[in-house]
Amino acid sequence: MKYGYYPGCSLEGISVEYNHSMRSLFTALEVTIEDLPDWICCGTLAAPSISRLLGIATPLWNVAKAKQEGFEQLVAPCSACVYHFKNAENQVNTNSKLMSEVEAVLETSLTGLPRTVHPLEILVNDGFEERIKSGIKQDLSDLKVVSYYGCHISRPADVMQFDDPEDPQSMDLVLSWVGVQTLDWSRKVDCCGAHFSLIKPDIVVDLCTEIIESALEAGADAIVVACPMCHANLDTRQGEIAQKLGRSIDIPILYFSQVLGYALGIEPKTLGMKKHIVDPLPLMLEKCQPWGNGSPVLQEVSA
Amino acid sequence: MDFRSEIEALSGQNTNLCFQCSKCSAGCPLGDKMDLKPAQVMHSIRLGREQAVLNSTAIWLCVGCETCSARCPQGVEPAAAINAARLMAMQQGVPPQIKEVDIYYRGFVDNMRLNGKIHDASVAGITQLLTGQLVENLPLAWKLFKRGRVKPPPLPFGGSDFRKVYRKSFEIEEGSAL
């Protein structure tokens, strides 16, 4: 399988640790990914708010480029990017006039586009279970987490065509492969408020308060996420959430790629675990039982 | 073209399928902050109440989480119709009920035009400056900077295909009768 990789804007900025952990996880799993050359932003909700055609053509420029490069699948770790790719493709496939207009903008044919996927889709669908299980170097069986999927891993179902829109299981499944305990909770597909963090932070604080309270009630040591916006909001707003609740809140927010990478023995620094506002390392060191002497995690701490 | 037909053409949604069960309103994470709830937006579109929809807070508060679309028993995507109404409001220059959202989306696309990708730190900084929220966000910006999560803008400007996509989208859109 020839995988193209589309990091997206957040992963080159505020969510650089997701990028590093994702790339190092692919390396550890011996998966070759090639960056999509000259990629452009997916346009998110902004481009379609300015012009409908721009909002469809912008994400599809990237998918058309992936086709030219011969990629069979285009992997985007940001679930919002994946949604905008799949949604744009869905729209042109159901509207022939729109299809011809977008083809005129992009000056290329949009038939036979490669599938755009979130990394969780690859891990679940492309047979990685044995490869991950056989590479485990750290015992994480004491770690209790909740999987937080947010909006666009599986929603809307007819566009995303992956997992269950109300009760997704893919992240719980891949985390269970490395022995992590994933708890049941009721906020796994709630919205974190996304980009409103920049414009209406009080709304994001409201939404994230409910998510974090629910995770703590479930007894989670950490929240595991698969989207840069989810991470940014849950990780950076805990000070305001603590003020709102009148008690201290300090729950680490981890990317699934960091948890898998940690279990496979990748150093925390490589996984970007030192870049979070809420430091996850004390928790990981408390819960981590090394599989043998010379564990890379313990080496780094003693050094 | 009347308001309802225009929204339906832009969004690809048939608003007549909506039978007002209001599951979309019940599940909307921003519903408690909206004047018109999603089901009311759908009904207002069907009734052709253009000014009520374009002057609602709902079209600005929708973050596109798609909970409404996931739960609609009729397979309608209210978020798509709401997005279409926001597009109409922005294209017509209707004064936005939540001006921060308007500033953010326009600034975001302006930033994309520099080199195709956005530079998240400058989008955040400019938006917060224009909406009067910069000072209170500086401590967080400093924490992120110290952790290496604020990157310099990607250079050089103008090196991507986005400007061409932008120009041609508007050319074709203007040439095509909706």
Side-chain angles (χ1 to χ4, degrees):
Chain A
M1 184 68 77
K2 194 176 176 192
Y3 295 112
Y5 185 70
Y6 175 92
C9 305
S10 294
L11 273 75
E12 297 207 333
I14 190 170
S15 308
V16 63
E17 73 275 25
Y18 191 18
N19 202 3
H20 291 170
S21 58
M22 206 67 244
R23 289 177 189 273
S24 56
L25 177 63
F26 280 130
T27 306
L29 294 174
E30 295 171 354
V31 177
T32 309
I33 52 165
E34 279 177 56
D35 280 31
L36 182 69
D38 307 322
W39 58 269
I40 61 176
C41 173
C42 73
T44 179
L45 277 186
S49 297
I50 305 281
S51 146
R52 184 197 189 200
L53 196 49
L54 182 69
I56 306 283
T58 303
L60 287 180
W61 184 93
N62 294 295
V63 189
K65 182 79 174 178
K67 177 185 157 189
Q68 286 164 20
E69 295 292 318
F71 297 139
E72 291 166 74
Q73 297 198 54
L74 181 64
V75 189
C78 171
S79 55
C81 296
V82 180
Y83 164 71
H84 287 286
F85 293 147
K86 286 187 175 177
N87 181 51
E89 201 180 338
N90 195 45
Q91 294 216 28
V92 294
N93 284 339
T94 51
N95 183 335
S96 55
K97 178 168 173 276
L98 187 62
M99 170 75 98
S100 60
E101 286 178 353
V102 176
E103 285 181 335
V105 171
L106 300 178
E107 296 172 346
T108 184
S109 158
L110 291 176
T111 50
L113 292 176
R115 183 170 163 79
T116 48
V117 290
H118 189 277
L120 280 174
E121 273 190 72
I122 297 182
L123 295 181
V124 172
N125 290 339
D126 293 4
F128 280 94
E129 182 174 355
E130 285 314 311
R131 217 184 291 185
I132 288 175
K133 283 182 173 172
S134 62
I136 295 175
K137 300 209 169 46
Q138 301 286 341
D139 180 0
L140 295 181
S141 56
D142 282 345
L143 186 66
K144 289 182 194 151
V145 304
V146 287
S147 303
Y148 175 61
Y149 297 78
C151 300
H152 292 315
I153 297 290
S154 55
R155 196 164 67 213
D158 59 331
V159 173
M160 303 312 287
Q161 305 271 332
F162 176 63
D163 216 332
D164 184 316
E166 295 289 357
D167 185 17
Q169 296 294 334
S170 51
M171 207 185 330
D172 296 77
L173 179 67
V174 298
L175 292 173
S176 76
W177 292 344
V178 295
V180 174
Q181 300 176 48
T182 60
L183 306 170
D184 278 337
W185 69 315
S186 50
R187 301 259 174 208
K188 55 164 63 168
V189 293
D190 279 16
C191 175
C192 71
H195 54 284
F196 273 35
S197 203
L198 298 176
I199 43 186
K200 287 279 176 195
D202 47 330
I203 291 178
V204 169
V205 171
D206 282 356
L207 296 172
C208 290
T209 300
E210 293 185 357
I211 294 163
I212 284 180
E213 270 200 297
S214 171
L216 292 170
E217 273 168 28
D221 300 321
I223 301 177
V224 184
V225 300
C227 166
M229 293 301 313
C230 299
H231 187 278
N233 287 345
L234 292 172
D235 186 40
T236 62
R237 297 290 169 188
Q238 292 192 26
E240 286 132 297
I241 293 169
Q243 270 183 3
K244 196 176 153 178
L245 294 175
R247 60 188 160 100
S248 114
I249 298 284
D250 204 14
I251 182 167
I253 315 296
L254 292 157
Y255 289 105
F256 74 96
S257 49
Q258 290 178 316
V259 179
L260 294 182
Y262 194 94
L264 297 178
I266 302 170
E267 284 185 84
K269 195 177 172 193
T270 309
L271 296 168
M273 282 186 167
K274 296 185 170 178
K275 291 180 179 292
H276 297 192
I277 302 283
V278 180
D279 184 0
L281 280 176
L283 170 72
M284 298 306 279
L285 292 174
E286 183 197 330
K287 300 288 178 180
C288 169
Q289 309 257 325
W291 277 63
N293 292 328
S295 137
V297 177
L298 294 181
Q299 271 175 6
E300 198 202 341
V301 171
S302 57
Chain B
M1 190 183 285
D2 65 25
F3 177 62
R4 191 192 97 196
S5 311
E6 201 169 335
I7 293 280
E8 291 189 341
L10 283 169
S11 65
Q13 303 302 310
N14 178 354
T15 55
N16 267 336
L17 289 173
C18 169
F19 52 35
Q20 289 290 300
C21 72
S22 300
K23 281 183 81 169
C24 51
S25 299
C28 178
L30 278 296
D32 61 331
K33 297 173 174 75
M34 291 174 175
D35 44 10
L36 294 180
K37 316 298 177 203
Q40 292 174 308
V41 174
M42 295 304 286
H43 196 53
S44 301
I45 292 170
R46 194 161 41 179
L47 295 175
R49 297 182 68 223
E50 179 169 357
Q51 292 313 311
V53 173
L54 299 190
N55 289 295
S56 68
T57 58
I59 63 171
W60 303 99
L61 285 174
C62 172
V63 283
C65 76
E66 301 284 348
T67 305
C68 52
S69 310
R71 295 183 181 168
C72 177
Q74 289 289 82
V76 180
E77 295 187 11
I82 291 170
N83 284 343
R86 184 176 59 248
L87 168 64
M88 275 178 74
M90 286 182 72
Q91 284 186 335
Q92 292 177 16
V94 176
Q97 290 298 310
I98 313 275
K99 67 174 192 318
E100 293 89 343
V101 182
D102 183 79
I103 290 169
Y104 171 75
Y105 286 150
R106 290 183 198 279
F108 193 101
V109 177
D110 286 346
N111 201 284
M112 285 174 73
R113 291 176 72 186
L114 294 177
N115 54 18
K117 305 169 187 182
I118 63 144
H119 176 235
D120 54 3
S122 58
V123 168
I126 292 167
T127 305
Q128 287 164 352
L129 180 69
L130 294 175
T131 57
Q133 302 180 77
L134 185 61
V135 175
E136 65 222 56
N137 280 295
L138 286 177
L140 176 57
W142 175 242
K143 279 187 191 172
L144 293 170
F145 179 79
K146 278 195 299 186
R147 288 164 172 80
R149 290 168 65 181
V150 178
K151 297 285 172 194
L155 293 169
F157 290 148
S160 87
D161 268 12
F162 180 71
R163 287 186 197 192
K164 193 172 147 200
V165 173
Y166 183 91
R167 180 172 46 78
K168 292 201 75 175
S169 293
F170 279 96
E171 275 173 19
I172 291 173
E173 209 156 59
E174 278 159 23
S176 130
L178 191 73

